Structures are given as structure tokens and as C-alpha cells.
Amino acid sequence: MTTDIGQVRGLLNDTIRDIIDLIGLDATTRLVEHLGGTSFDMPRGSRDSRRLRILQEILGADQISALLEIYGGAQLYIPRCDAALRALRNARFRAEVQGAVAAGNSQKMAVQLLAPKYGFSERRAYDILKETAPLPQPALFTE
């Protein structure tokens, strides 16, 4: 089972998908973690400013340059992406439990070891294991 952004891409809005394509998943994740849920006024250029320094604390110079080329001077709403991040976390948890079981651990032992790592109770861990990963939505019209 893969646990990448492709699994939850449908839960992300267009802006975040574009930013992932522009600066990569890791950088976008950092941006969401630091600024998610805010409307951020992007600097107009590379002139030193408080907003530029905020970006410099989060991203590398190449990533900032790429963002400013597209979004410089614009107010950019950065969503929290809670649903997508939660779905991705749960998929990673399920995959890690499956890997631990395949390596010879019981499911109970795997849950006891991994639930604290992911920050939830055993009860929630078993609920997540019962959930099925969302399947991709089939196209309504095929050509």
C-alpha cells in the first residue's frame, strides 16, 4: 500500500495542488503546518520584508522564488488541509501496522507500539484499521 499524496489528492483544493506541483510536497506540508488557515499576503519580490522573512523560516530560496513568481503580491489563502492530512496519516498508520504484522508481530502488539507514535488511543487505532481507504472516484464519462 502506498501512502503518498496521490491517495488524498482529491481532498485538496486546486491551490494546494498547484503549490505541490510548484514547490513539492514536503515544502507545501511545511507551508500548511506554519500558515494553514490564514490568508497570507505574499511579498512582491525578493526585497527584505517581514513576510519574506516568514517564508524564509519555512522554505528554501528556490521554493520562495518559485512561489513569488506565481503568487507574488497576491493574497494567498492557505487551507489547513485537515481532511487530507488525516487521511494520509491514517493510511500511513494502516500500512505500518500491516508491515509490522507481516514482520511477525501480532496486530495487537503492532497497535500497542504504533498508536502512541501516531498520537491516538488503541480504540481509535482499531477504528482506523476497520476503515477502508477511500477508493478513487471513477470517471462519470469516458471517451
Side-chain angles (χ1 to χ4, degrees):
M1 167 186 274
T2 60
T3 55
D4 64 6
I5 200 66
Q7 285 185 299
V8 297
R9 198 166 177 95
L11 298 173
L12 299 171
N13 73 15
D14 291 339
T15 302
I16 288 296
R17 284 187 229 149
D18 291 344
I19 293 173
I20 290 170
D21 293 341
L22 189 63
I23 65 173
L25 176 61
D26 291 338
T28 304
T29 301
R30 288 193 309 272
L31 192 66
V32 168
E33 286 172 350
H34 286 86
L35 299 175
T38 66
S39 294
F40 188 77
D41 294 326
M42 298 297 283
R44 292 193 188 280
S46 59
R47 195 183 63 147
D48 189 33
S49 68
R50 176 142 171 77
R51 285 182 171 66
L52 182 61
R53 288 192 299 276
I54 290 170
L55 289 177
Q56 288 169 337
E57 292 174 10
I58 302 168
L59 304 171
D62 291 342
Q63 296 157 340
I64 293 170
S65 177
L67 271 179
L68 295 184
E69 186 174 323
I70 304 295
Y71 300 106
Q75 185 178 70
L76 180 64
Y77 178 72
I78 302 167
R80 293 179 46 89
C81 304
D82 287 341
L85 293 175
R86 188 171 34 257
L88 189 58
R89 178 207 62 197
N90 292 353
R92 287 180 176 154
F93 173 74
R94 282 191 293 273
E96 202 165 339
V97 168
Q98 288 173 353
V101 170
N105 292 298
S106 68
Q107 185 182 47
K108 182 176 182 173
M109 178 58 74
V111 167
Q112 288 175 341
L113 293 172
L114 296 171
K117 173 183 174 183
Y118 284 86
F120 35 73
S121 68
E122 281 185 40
R123 172 176 246 157
R124 180 66 187 131
Y126 284 113
D127 288 343
I128 290 169
L129 291 173
K130 289 178 192 174
E131 296 170 1
T132 57
L135 299 173
Q137 180 72 25
L140 294 176
F141 305 100
T142 57
E143 295 182 28

